[in-house]
């Protein structure tokens, strides 16, 4: 048994401890911070109680916005292009990416649309058969009542197709008419907001039985 370790042994141990401590210290400071604000896309006002989520590698960091729409996340790992999302009922969720630098507070502003209307299907290029049922799909926020129209000549003339009271359901079953065409378009219109409308990007076709 060695009661008095050699000075060389003590020096080596102290050196290893110093290296380990320096490594731990270096690792510990490799974090950054993120602050930001979530606003209404139409009014620019801050939105409270929005869930903000940052996916940093295998970790997920969350925060809720305050009464003015502000939020802050500290001790985020350093990295690039972390997905960030903002979610609140009644608004369209938004996503983006953020990069976190060591010892620096990054800043970001996210704008949530309170009113949104987007046709998801058909988008154009589809081929449907007369007499069959096609499910028209869309995305709507802040709109209760929508009207549908269709055209068989690429939008030169429009005909009423139907209406939906509960727009957020996002589904409407359309019985395809026997009007063969290669230039069919579907248009969706917000009845309480007529300026909000969307239609398929390019025509689709209808063929007879």
């Amino acid at each position: 048994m060695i009661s008095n370790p050699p000075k060389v042994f003590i020096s080596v141990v102290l050196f290893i401890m110093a290296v380990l401590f320096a490594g731990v210290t270096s690792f510990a400071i490799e974090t950054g911070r993120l602050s930001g604000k979530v606003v209404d896309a139409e009014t620019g006002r801050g939105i409270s109680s929005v869930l903000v989520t940052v996916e940093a590698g295998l970790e997920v960091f969350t925060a809720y916005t305050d009464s003015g729409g502000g939020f802050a996340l500290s001790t985020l790992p350093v990295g690039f292009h972390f997905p960030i999302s903002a979610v609140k009922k009644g608004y369209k969720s938004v996503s983006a990416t953020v990069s976190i630098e060591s010892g620096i507070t990054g800043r970001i502003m996210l704008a949530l649309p309170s009113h949104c209307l987007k046709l998801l299907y058909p988008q154009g290029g589809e081929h449907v058969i007369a007499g069959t049922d096609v499910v028209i799909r869309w995305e709507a926020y802040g709109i209760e009542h929508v009207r549908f129209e269709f055209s068989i000549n690429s939008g030169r003339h429009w005909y009423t197709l139907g209406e939906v009271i509960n727009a957020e359901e996002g589904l409407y079953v359309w019985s395809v008419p026997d009007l063969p065409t290669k230039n069919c378009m579907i248009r969706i219109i917000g009845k309480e907001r007529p300026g909000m409308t969307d239609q398929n990007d390019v025509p689709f076709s209808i063929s007879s039985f």
Side-chain angles (χ1 to χ4, degrees):
M1 181 176 179
I2 301 177
S3 57
N4 295 309
K7 292 183 178 179
V8 174
F9 175 78
I10 295 174
S11 298
V12 171
V13 171
L14 291 175
F15 175 76
I16 293 174
M17 290 178 65
V19 170
L20 291 174
F21 179 76
V24 169
T25 303
S26 175
F27 175 79
I29 64 172
E30 287 299 309
T31 60
R33 298 174 298 278
L34 179 68
S35 67
K37 188 173 183 178
V38 181
V39 300
D40 185 299
E42 290 188 45
T43 66
R45 297 193 187 96
I47 308 173
S48 64
S49 304
V50 179
L51 174 61
V52 179
T53 303
V54 175
E55 298 179 30
L58 299 178
E59 297 183 89
V60 177
F61 299 83
T62 61
Y64 282 92
T65 57
D66 58 26
S67 59
F71 69 90
L73 289 163
S74 58
T75 64
L76 293 173
V78 172
F80 299 97
H81 308 302
F82 292 145
I84 181 172
S85 62
V87 178
K88 182 172 181 175
K89 186 176 180 180
Y91 290 85
K92 178 178 172 59
S93 302
V94 298
S95 300
T97 60
V98 292
S99 296
I100 306 300
E101 299 182 59
S102 178
I104 294 177
T105 300
R107 302 190 184 280
I108 189 171
M109 178 176 287
L110 301 169
L112 301 187
S114 55
H115 297 86
C116 170
L117 186 61
K118 181 175 178 59
L119 183 67
L120 301 178
Y121 183 88
Q123 278 294 294
E126 298 88 356
H127 177 77
V128 298
I129 307 297
T132 62
D133 289 338
V134 170
V135 178
I136 298 172
R137 294 185 291 108
W138 69 92
E139 184 178 40
Y141 295 90
I143 296 175
E144 296 293 331
H145 195 175
V146 294
R147 183 176 79 253
F148 300 94
E149 298 178 343
F150 77 101
S151 170
I152 58 174
N153 52 18
S154 299
R156 289 195 297 274
H157 300 91
W158 293 95
Y159 305 91
T160 299
L161 188 157
E163 296 184 0
V164 170
I165 300 298
N166 187 5
E168 291 192 0
E169 289 183 355
L171 299 173
Y172 179 83
V173 179
W174 177 39
S175 295
V176 181
D178 191 7
L179 296 171
T181 178
K182 294 182 180 180
N183 301 301
C184 194
M185 306 283 286
I186 294 289
R187 179 164 69 180
I188 183 172
I189 303 167
K191 288 204 69 175
E192 63 265 59
R193 286 176 170 262
M196 296 200 72
T197 181
D198 194 26
Q199 63 190 51
N200 44 297
D201 296 330
V202 295
F204 62 95
S205 62
I206 298 175
S207 62
S208 296
F209 299 101

